Coordinates of all heavy atoms in Angstrom, one line a residue:
M125 N 106.9 92.9 121.7 CA 106.7 91.7 120.9 C 107.9 91.7 119.9 O 108.3 92.7 119.4 CB 105.4 91.9 120.2 CG 105.1 90.7 119.3 SD 103.5 90.8 118.6 CE 103.3 89.2 118.0
K126 N 108.3 90.5 119.7 CA 109.4 90.3 118.7 C 108.9 89.7 117.4 O 107.9 89.0 117.4 CB 110.4 89.3 119.3 CG 111.3 89.8 120.4 CD 112.4 88.8 120.7 CE 113.3 89.5 121.7 NZ 114.6 88.8 121.8
A127 N 109.6 90.1 116.3 CA 109.2 89.6 115.0 C 110.5 89.4 114.2 O 111.5 90.2 114.4 CB 108.3 90.6 114.3
T128 N 110.5 88.5 113.4 CA 111.7 88.2 112.5 C 111.3 88.7 111.1 O 110.3 88.4 110.5 CB 112.0 86.7 112.4 OG1 112.3 86.3 113.8 CG2 113.2 86.5 111.6
I129 N 112.2 89.6 110.6 CA 112.0 90.1 109.2 C 113.2 89.8 108.4 O 114.3 90.1 108.8 CB 111.8 91.7 109.3 CG1 110.6 92.0 110.2 CG2 111.6 92.2 107.9 CD1 110.5 93.5 110.5
D130 N 113.0 89.2 107.2 CA 114.1 89.0 106.3 C 114.3 90.1 105.3 O 113.3 90.5 104.6 CB 113.9 87.7 105.5 CG 113.9 86.5 106.4 OD1 114.8 86.4 107.3 OD2 113.1 85.5 106.2
F131 N 115.4 90.8 105.4 CA 115.7 91.9 104.5 C 116.7 91.4 103.4 O 117.6 90.6 103.7 CB 116.3 93.1 105.2 CG 115.4 93.8 106.1 CD1 115.5 93.6 107.5 CD2 114.5 94.7 105.6 CE1 114.6 94.3 108.3 CE2 113.6 95.4 106.4 CZ 113.7 95.2 107.8
D132 N 116.6 92.0 102.2 CA 117.6 91.9 101.2 C 118.9 92.4 101.8 O 118.8 93.4 102.5 CB 117.1 92.7 100.0 CG 118.2 92.7 98.9 OD1 118.2 91.8 98.1 OD2 118.9 93.7 98.9
V133 N 120.0 91.8 101.5 CA 121.3 92.3 102.0 C 121.6 93.7 101.8 O 122.0 94.5 102.7 CB 122.5 91.4 101.5 CG1 123.8 91.9 102.0 CG2 122.3 89.9 101.9
A134 N 121.3 94.2 100.6 CA 121.6 95.6 100.3 C 120.7 96.5 101.1 O 121.1 97.6 101.6 CB 121.5 95.9 98.8
L135 N 119.4 96.2 101.2 CA 118.5 97.0 102.0 C 118.9 97.0 103.5 O 118.9 98.0 104.1 CB 117.1 96.5 101.8 CG 116.0 97.2 102.6 CD1 115.9 98.7 102.1 CD2 114.6 96.5 102.4
Y136 N 119.3 95.9 104.0 CA 119.7 95.8 105.4 C 120.9 96.7 105.6 O 121.0 97.4 106.7 CB 120.0 94.4 105.8 CG 120.3 94.3 107.3 CD1 119.3 94.4 108.2 CD2 121.7 94.1 107.7 CE1 119.6 94.3 109.6 CE2 122.0 94.1 109.1 CZ 120.9 94.1 110.0 OH 121.2 94.1 111.3
R137 N 121.9 96.7 104.7 CA 123.1 97.6 104.9 C 122.7 99.0 104.9 O 123.2 99.8 105.7 CB 124.1 97.3 103.7 CG 124.8 96.0 103.9 CD 125.8 95.8 102.8 NE 126.5 94.5 102.9 CZ 126.8 93.8 101.9 NH1 126.6 94.2 100.7 NH2 127.4 92.6 102.1
R138 N 121.8 99.4 104.0 CA 121.3 100.8 104.0 C 120.6 101.1 105.3 O 120.7 102.2 105.8 CB 120.3 101.0 102.8 CG 121.0 101.0 101.5 CD 120.0 101.1 100.3 NE 119.2 102.4 100.5 CZ 118.0 102.5 99.9 NH1 117.5 101.6 99.1 NH2 117.4 103.7 100.0
L139 N 119.8 100.2 105.8 CA 119.1 100.4 107.1 C 120.1 100.6 108.2 O 119.9 101.5 109.0 CB 118.2 99.2 107.3 CG 117.4 99.1 108.6 CD1 116.4 100.3 108.7 CD2 116.7 97.8 108.8
K140 N 121.1 99.7 108.2 CA 122.1 99.8 109.3 C 122.8 101.1 109.2 O 123.1 101.8 110.3 CB 123.1 98.6 109.1 CG 123.9 98.3 110.3 CD 124.7 97.0 110.0 CE 125.6 96.7 111.2 NZ 126.2 95.4 111.0
V141 N 123.2 101.6 108.1 CA 123.9 102.9 107.9 C 123.0 104.0 108.3 O 123.5 104.9 109.1 CB 124.4 103.0 106.4 CG1 124.8 104.5 106.2 CG2 125.5 102.1 106.1
E142 N 121.8 104.0 107.9 CA 120.8 105.1 108.3 C 120.6 105.1 109.8 O 120.5 106.2 110.4 CB 119.5 105.0 107.5 CG 118.5 106.1 107.7 CD 119.1 107.4 107.3 OE1 120.0 107.5 106.4 OE2 118.6 108.5 107.8
A143 N 120.4 104.0 110.4 CA 120.2 103.9 111.9 C 121.5 104.5 112.6 O 121.3 105.3 113.5 CB 120.0 102.5 112.3
A144 N 122.6 104.2 112.1 CA 123.9 104.7 112.7 C 124.0 106.2 112.5 O 124.3 107.0 113.4 CB 125.1 104.0 112.2
R145 N 123.6 106.7 111.3 CA 123.7 108.1 111.0 C 122.7 108.9 111.9 O 123.1 110.0 112.4 CB 123.3 108.3 109.5 CG 123.5 109.7 109.0 CD 123.0 109.9 107.6 NE 121.6 109.9 107.5 CZ 120.7 110.9 107.9 NH1 121.2 112.0 108.4 NH2 119.5 110.8 107.7
R146 N 121.6 108.3 112.3 CA 120.6 109.0 113.1 C 120.9 108.7 114.6 O 120.2 109.3 115.4 CB 119.2 108.5 112.8 CG 118.7 108.8 111.4 CD 117.3 108.2 111.2 NE 116.8 108.6 109.9 CZ 115.5 108.8 109.7 NH1 114.7 108.8 110.6 NH2 115.2 109.1 108.5
G147 N 121.8 107.9 114.9 CA 122.1 107.6 116.3 C 121.0 106.7 116.9 O 120.7 106.8 118.1
Q148 N 120.3 105.9 116.1 CA 119.3 105.0 116.6 C 119.7 103.5 116.4 O 120.6 103.2 115.6 CB 118.0 105.2 115.7 CG 117.4 106.6 115.9 CD 116.1 106.7 115.0 OE1 116.2 106.6 113.8 NE2 115.0 107.1 115.6
T149 N 118.9 102.7 117.0 CA 119.1 101.2 116.7 C 118.3 100.9 115.5 O 117.4 101.6 115.1 CB 118.6 100.4 117.9 OG1 117.2 100.5 118.1 CG2 119.4 100.7 119.2
I150 N 118.6 99.8 114.9 CA 117.8 99.3 113.8 C 116.3 99.1 114.2 O 115.4 99.4 113.5 CB 118.4 98.0 113.2 CG1 119.7 98.3 112.5 CG2 117.5 97.3 112.2 CD1 120.5 97.2 112.0
R151 N 116.1 98.5 115.4 CA 114.8 98.3 115.9 C 114.0 99.6 116.0 O 112.8 99.7 115.6 CB 114.9 97.7 117.3 CG 113.5 97.5 117.9 CD 113.7 96.9 119.3 NE 114.5 95.7 119.3 CZ 114.2 94.6 120.0 NH1 113.3 94.7 120.9 NH2 115.0 93.6 119.9
E152 N 114.6 100.7 116.5 CA 114.0 102.0 116.6 C 113.6 102.6 115.2 O 112.5 103.1 115.0 CB 114.9 103.0 117.3 CG 115.1 102.7 118.8 CD 116.2 103.5 119.4 OE1 117.1 104.0 118.7 OE2 116.1 103.6 120.7
L153 N 114.6 102.4 114.3 CA 114.3 102.9 112.9 C 113.2 102.2 112.2 O 112.4 102.8 111.6 CB 115.6 102.9 112.1 CG 115.5 103.6 110.7 CD1 115.1 105.1 110.8 CD2 116.9 103.5 110.0
V154 N 113.2 100.9 112.3 CA 112.1 100.1 111.7 C 110.8 100.4 112.3 O 109.8 100.6 111.6 CB 112.4 98.6 111.8 CG1 111.2 97.7 111.4 CG2 113.6 98.2 111.0
A155 N 110.7 100.5 113.7 CA 109.5 100.9 114.3 C 109.0 102.3 113.9 O 107.8 102.5 113.6 CB 109.7 100.9 115.9
E156 N 109.9 103.2 113.7 CA 109.6 104.6 113.3 C 109.0 104.5 111.8 O 108.0 105.1 111.5 CB 110.8 105.5 113.3 CG 110.6 106.9 112.8 CD 111.9 107.7 112.8 OE1 112.7 107.5 113.7 OE2 112.0 108.5 111.9
G157 N 109.6 103.7 111.0 CA 109.1 103.5 109.6 C 107.7 102.9 109.6 O 106.9 103.3 108.8
V158 N 107.5 101.9 110.4 CA 106.2 101.2 110.4 C 105.1 102.2 110.9 O 104.1 102.3 110.3 CB 106.2 100.0 111.3 CG1 104.9 99.4 111.6 CG2 107.1 98.9 110.7
R159 N 105.5 103.0 112.0 CA 104.5 104.0 112.5 C 104.2 105.0 111.4 O 103.1 105.4 111.2 CB 105.1 104.7 113.7 CG 104.7 104.0 115.0 CD 105.1 104.9 116.2 NE 105.9 104.1 117.1 CZ 107.2 104.0 117.2 NH1 107.9 104.6 116.3 NH2 107.7 103.2 118.0
Y160 N 105.2 105.4 110.6 CA 105.0 106.4 109.6 C 104.1 105.9 108.5 O 103.2 106.6 108.1 CB 106.4 106.7 108.9 CG 106.3 107.7 107.8 CD1 106.2 109.0 108.0 CD2 106.3 107.2 106.5 CE1 106.1 109.9 106.9 CE2 106.2 108.1 105.4 CZ 106.1 109.4 105.6 OH 106.0 110.3 104.5
V161 N 104.2 104.6 108.1 CA 103.4 104.1 107.1 C 102.0 103.9 107.6 O 101.0 104.2 106.9 CB 103.9 102.7 106.6 CG1 102.9 101.9 105.8 CG2 105.2 102.9 105.8
L162 N 101.8 103.4 108.8 CA 100.5 103.2 109.4 C 99.7 104.5 109.7 O 98.5 104.5 109.7 CB 100.6 102.3 110.6 CG 101.1 100.9 110.4 CD1 101.2 100.1 111.7 CD2 100.2 100.1 109.4
D163 N 100.4 105.5 110.1 CA 99.8 106.8 110.4 C 99.5 107.7 109.2 O 98.8 108.7 109.4 CB 100.6 107.5 111.5 CG 100.7 106.8 112.8 OD1 99.8 105.9 113.0 OD2 101.6 107.1 113.6
A164 N 100.1 107.4 108.1 CA 100.0 108.2 106.9 C 98.5 108.1 106.4 O 97.9 107.0 106.4 CB 101.0 107.8 105.8
P165 N 98.0 109.2 105.8 CA 96.6 109.0 105.2 C 96.7 108.1 104.0 O 97.8 108.0 103.4 CB 96.3 110.5 104.8 CG 97.6 111.2 104.8 CD 98.5 110.5 105.7
P166 N 95.6 107.4 103.7 CA 95.7 106.5 102.5 C 96.0 107.3 101.2 O 95.6 108.4 101.1 CB 94.3 105.9 102.5 CG 93.4 106.7 103.4 CD 94.3 107.5 104.3
P167 N 96.8 106.7 100.3 CA 97.1 107.4 99.1 C 95.9 107.6 98.3 O 95.0 106.8 98.2 CB 98.1 106.4 98.4 CG 97.8 105.1 99.0 CD 97.3 105.3 100.4
R168 N 95.9 108.8 97.6 CA 94.8 109.1 96.7 C 95.2 108.8 95.3 O 96.3 109.0 94.9 CB 94.4 110.6 96.8 CG 93.9 111.0 98.2 CD 93.4 112.3 98.2 NE 92.3 112.4 97.2 CZ 91.4 113.3 97.2 NH1 91.4 114.3 98.1 NH2 90.5 113.3 96.2
S169 N 94.3 108.3 94.5 CA 94.6 108.0 93.1 C 94.7 109.3 92.4 O 94.1 110.3 92.7 CB 93.6 107.1 92.5 OG 92.3 107.7 92.5
E170 N 95.5 109.3 91.3 CA 95.7 110.5 90.5 C 94.4 110.7 89.7 O 93.7 109.8 89.4 CB 96.9 110.2 89.5 CG 98.2 110.1 90.2 CD 98.6 111.5 90.8 OE1 98.4 112.5 90.2 OE2 99.2 111.4 91.9
G171 N 94.2 112.0 89.4 CA 93.0 112.3 88.6 C 91.7 112.4 89.4 O 91.7 112.9 90.5
R172 N 90.7 111.9 88.8 CA 89.4 112.0 89.4 C 89.3 111.2 90.7 O 89.7 110.1 90.8 CB 88.4 111.4 88.4 CG 86.9 111.6 88.8 CD 86.0 111.2 87.7 NE 84.7 110.9 88.3 CZ 84.1 109.8 88.3 NH1 84.6 108.7 87.7 NH2 82.9 109.7 88.9
A173 N 88.6 111.8 91.7 CA 88.4 111.1 93.0 C 87.4 110.0 92.8 O 86.5 110.1 91.9 CB 87.9 112.1 94.0
A174 N 87.5 109.0 93.6 CA 86.6 107.8 93.5 C 85.2 108.3 94.0 O 85.1 109.1 94.9 CB 87.1 106.7 94.4
P175 N 84.2 107.8 93.4 CA 82.8 108.2 93.8 C 82.5 107.6 95.1 O 83.1 106.6 95.5 CB 81.9 107.6 92.7 CG 82.7 106.5 92.1 CD 84.2 106.9 92.2
S176 N 81.6 108.2 95.8 CA 81.2 107.7 97.1 C 80.4 106.4 96.9 O 80.0 106.1 95.7 CB 80.3 108.7 97.8 OG 79.0 108.8 97.1
T177 N 80.3 105.6 97.9 CA 79.6 104.3 97.7 C 78.2 104.5 97.2 O 77.8 103.8 96.2 CB 79.5 103.6 99.1 OG1 80.8 103.4 99.5 CG2 78.8 102.2 98.9
A178 N 77.4 105.5 97.7 CA 76.1 105.7 97.3 C 76.0 106.1 95.8 O 75.2 105.6 95.0 CB 75.4 106.8 98.1
E179 N 77.0 106.9 95.4 CA 77.0 107.3 94.0 C 77.3 106.2 93.1 O 76.7 106.0 92.0 CB 78.1 108.4 93.9 CG 78.2 109.1 92.5 CD 79.4 110.1 92.5 OE1 79.9 110.5 93.6 OE2 79.8 110.5 91.4
W180 N 78.2 105.3 93.5 CA 78.7 104.1 92.7 C 77.5 103.1 92.6 O 77.2 102.6 91.5 CB 79.9 103.5 93.3 CG 80.5 102.4 92.5 CD1 81.3 102.5 91.5 CD2 80.2 101.0 92.7 NE1 81.7 101.3 91.0 CE2 81.0 100.4 91.7 CE3 79.5 100.2 93.5 CZ2 81.0 99.0 91.6 CZ3 79.5 98.9 93.4 CH2 80.3 98.3 92.4
V181 N 76.8 102.9 93.7 CA 75.7 101.9 93.7 C 74.6 102.5 92.8 O 74.0 101.7 92.1 CB 75.2 101.7 95.1 CG1 73.9 100.9 95.1 CG2 76.3 100.9 95.9
G182 N 74.4 103.8 92.8 CA 73.3 104.3 92.0 C 73.5 104.0 90.5 O 72.5 103.9 89.7
V183 N 74.7 103.9 90.0 CA 75.0 103.6 88.6 C 74.5 102.2 88.3 O 74.1 102.0 87.1 CB 76.6 103.7 88.4 CG1 76.9 103.2 87.0 CG2 77.0 105.1 88.6
L184 N 74.4 101.3 89.2 CA 74.0 100.0 89.0 C 72.5 99.8 89.0 O 72.0 98.7 88.6 CB 74.6 99.0 90.0 CG 76.1 99.0 90.0 CD1 76.6 98.1 91.1 CD2 76.7 98.5 88.7
N185 N 71.7 100.8 89.5 CA 70.3 100.6 89.6 C 69.6 100.2 88.3 O 68.7 99.3 88.4 CB 69.7 101.9 90.2 CG 69.9 102.1 91.6 OD1 70.1 101.1 92.3 ND2 69.8 103.3 92.1
P186 N 69.9 100.8 87.2 CA 69.2 100.3 86.0 C 69.4 98.8 85.7 O 68.5 98.1 85.2 CB 69.8 101.1 84.8 CG 70.4 102.3 85.5 CD 70.8 101.9 86.9
Y187 N 70.6 98.3 86.0 CA 70.9 96.9 85.8 C 70.1 96.0 86.8 O 69.6 95.0 86.4 CB 72.4 96.6 85.8 CG 73.1 97.4 84.8 CD1 74.0 98.4 85.1 CD2 73.0 97.1 83.4 CE1 74.7 99.1 84.2 CE2 73.7 97.8 82.4 CZ 74.5 98.8 82.8 OH 75.2 99.5 81.9
A188 N 70.1 96.4 88.0 CA 69.5 95.6 89.1 C 68.0 95.6 88.9 O 67.3 94.5 89.0 CB 69.8 96.2 90.4
S189 N 67.4 96.7 88.5 CA 65.9 96.8 88.3 C 65.5 95.9 87.1 O 64.4 95.4 87.0 CB 65.4 98.2 88.2 OG 66.0 98.8 87.1
N190 N 66.4 95.8 86.2 CA 66.2 95.1 84.9 C 66.4 93.6 85.1 O 66.2 92.8 84.2 CB 67.1 95.6 83.8 CG 66.5 95.3 82.4 OD1 65.4 95.0 82.3 ND2 67.4 95.5 81.4
A191 N 66.9 93.1 86.3 CA 67.2 91.7 86.5 C 66.0 90.9 87.0 O 66.1 89.8 87.4 CB 68.3 91.6 87.5
A192 N 64.8 91.5 87.0 CA 63.5 90.9 87.3 C 63.5 90.2 88.7 O 63.1 89.1 88.9 CB 63.2 89.8 86.2
G193 N 64.1 91.0 89.7 CA 64.1 90.5 91.1 C 65.0 89.4 91.4 O 65.2 89.0 92.5
N194 N 65.7 88.8 90.3 CA 66.6 87.8 90.5 C 68.0 88.4 90.5 O 68.5 88.7 89.4 CB 66.4 86.7 89.5 CG 67.3 85.5 89.7 OD1 68.1 85.4 90.6 ND2 67.2 84.5 88.8
H195 N 68.7 88.5 91.6 CA 70.0 89.2 91.6 C 71.2 88.2 91.6 O 72.3 88.6 92.1 CB 70.0 90.2 92.8 CG 69.0 91.2 92.6 ND1 69.2 92.3 91.8 CD2 67.8 91.4 93.1 CE1 68.2 93.1 91.8 NE2 67.3 92.6 92.6
D196 N 71.0 87.0 91.1 CA 72.2 86.2 91.1 C 73.1 86.7 89.9 O 72.7 87.4 89.1 CB 71.9 84.7 91.0 CG 71.2 84.3 89.7 OD1 70.9 85.2 88.9 OD2 71.0 83.1 89.4
L197 N 74.3 86.2 89.8 CA 75.3 86.7 88.9 C 74.8 86.5 87.4 O 74.9 87.4 86.6 CB 76.6 86.0 89.1 CG 77.8 86.6 88.3 CD1 77.9 88.1 88.5 CD2 79.1 85.9 88.6
S198 N 74.2 85.4 87.1 CA 73.8 85.2 85.7 C 72.7 86.1 85.3 O 72.6 86.6 84.2 CB 73.4 83.7 85.5 OG 72.3 83.4 86.4
A199 N 71.7 86.4 86.3 CA 70.7 87.4 86.0 C 71.2 88.8 85.7 O 70.7 89.5 84.8 CB 69.6 87.4 87.1
V200 N 72.2 89.2 86.6 CA 72.8 90.5 86.4 C 73.5 90.6 85.1 O 73.4 91.6 84.3 CB 73.7 90.8 87.6 CG1 74.5 92.1 87.4 CG2 72.9 90.9 88.9
R201 N 74.3 89.6 84.7 CA 75.0 89.5 83.4 C 74.0 89.7 82.3 O 74.2 90.4 81.3 CB 75.8 88.3 83.3 CG 77.1 88.3 84.1 CD 77.9 87.1 83.9 NE 79.1 87.1 84.6 CZ 79.8 86.1 85.0 NH1 79.4 84.9 84.8 NH2 80.9 86.2 85.7
A202 N 72.9 88.9 82.4 CA 71.9 89.0 81.3 C 71.3 90.4 81.2 O 71.1 90.9 80.1 CB 70.8 87.9 81.5
S203 N 71.1 91.0 82.3 CA 70.5 92.4 82.4 C 71.5 93.3 81.7 O 71.1 94.2 80.9 CB 70.2 92.8 83.8 OG 69.9 94.1 83.9
I204 N 72.7 93.2 82.0 CA 73.8 94.1 81.4 C 73.8 93.9 79.9 O 73.9 94.8 79.1 CB 75.1 93.8 82.1 CG1 75.1 94.4 83.5 CG2 76.3 94.5 81.3 CD1 76.3 93.9 84.3
A205 N 73.8 92.6 79.5 CA 73.8 92.3 78.0 C 72.6 92.9 77.3 O 72.7 93.5 76.2 CB 73.9 90.8 77.8
R206 N 71.4 92.7 77.9 CA 70.2 93.3 77.3 C 70.3 94.8 77.2 O 70.0 95.4 76.2 CB 68.9 93.0 78.1 CG 68.4 91.6 77.9 CD 67.0 91.4 78.6 NE 66.9 91.7 80.0 CZ 67.2 90.9 81.0 NH1 67.6 89.7 80.7 NH2 67.1 91.3 82.2
R207 N 70.8 95.4 78.2 CA 70.9 96.9 78.3 C 71.9 97.4 77.2 O 71.7 98.4 76.5 CB 71.4 97.3 79.6 CG 71.5 98.7 79.9 CD 70.3 99.2 80.7 NE 70.6 100.6 81.0 CZ 69.8 101.4 81.5 NH1 68.5 101.0 81.7 NH2 70.1 102.6 81.7
R208 N 73.0 96.6 77.0 CA 74.0 97.0 76.0 C 73.4 96.9 74.6 O 73.7 97.7 73.8 CB 75.3 96.1 76.1 CG 76.2 96.5 77.3 CD 77.4 95.6 77.3 NE 78.3 96.0 78.4 CZ 79.2 95.2 78.9 NH1 79.4 94.0 78.3 NH2 79.9 95.6 79.9
R209 N 72.7 95.8 74.4 CA 72.1 95.6 73.1 C 71.1 96.7 72.7 O 71.0 97.2 71.6 CB 71.4 94.2 73.0 CG 72.4 93.1 72.8 CD 71.6 91.8 72.4 NE 70.7 91.4 73.4 CZ 70.9 90.6 74.4 NH1 72.1 90.0 74.5 NH2 69.9 90.2 75.3
S210 N 70.3 97.1 73.8 CA 69.3 98.1 73.5 C 69.9 99.5 73.3 O 69.3 100.4 72.7 CB 68.3 98.2 74.7 OG 68.9 98.6 75.8
S211 N 71.1 99.8 73.8 CA 71.7 101.1 73.7 C 72.5 101.3 72.4 O 73.0 102.3 72.1 CB 72.6 101.4 74.9 OG 73.7 100.5 75.0
T212 N 72.7 100.2 71.7 CA 73.5 100.3 70.4 C 72.6 100.5 69.2 O 71.5 100.4 69.2 CB 74.4 99.1 70.2 OG1 73.6 97.9 70.2 CG2 75.5 99.0 71.3

């Protein structure tokens, strides 16, 4: 499959030089780079690991149960506001 990619002139020059240095075509080098990015594990954020979905959803339980069965956005906001007022 063919694709057209617009590169900044300086970046294209660097790409061309690197491909020549490796004895590859620009097409081969770009395909290698795309494979590298797609096959790499997702980046991890610095510091604390993100909580699992179940753990994160559990944090919301007090707000959801306080929304009186009505889970539209305004009811959830009101629940959060009530909870904030009662904790101060």
Side-chain angles (χ1 to χ4, degrees):
M125 180 174 192
K126 286 189 173 196
T128 301
I129 303 170
D130 291 324
F131 288 105
D132 174 84
V133 174
L135 180 61
Y136 184 76
R137 285 184 185 140
R138 289 176 58 200
L139 178 63
K140 196 171 179 178
V141 167
E142 185 61 24
R145 189 184 72 73
R146 293 178 181 216
Q148 295 178 304
T149 64
I150 291 173
R151 178 184 301 220
E152 292 168 336
L153 187 58
V154 168
E156 181 182 324
V158 169
R159 272 190 228 91
Y160 177 80
V161 168
L162 295 178
D163 293 343
R168 295 191 59 163
S169 61
E170 293 294 320
R172 187 174 161 243
S176 68
T177 301
E179 188 180 344
W180 186 84
V181 170
V183 171
L184 299 176
N185 282 339
Y187 300 112
S189 62
N190 202 14
N194 185 1
H195 295 280
D196 67 353
L197 188 54
S198 60
V200 173
R201 284 182 176 153
S203 172
I204 292 169
R206 281 193 304 275
R207 186 101 172 169
R208 284 182 179 163
R209 284 192 301 267
S210 69
S211 66
T212 57

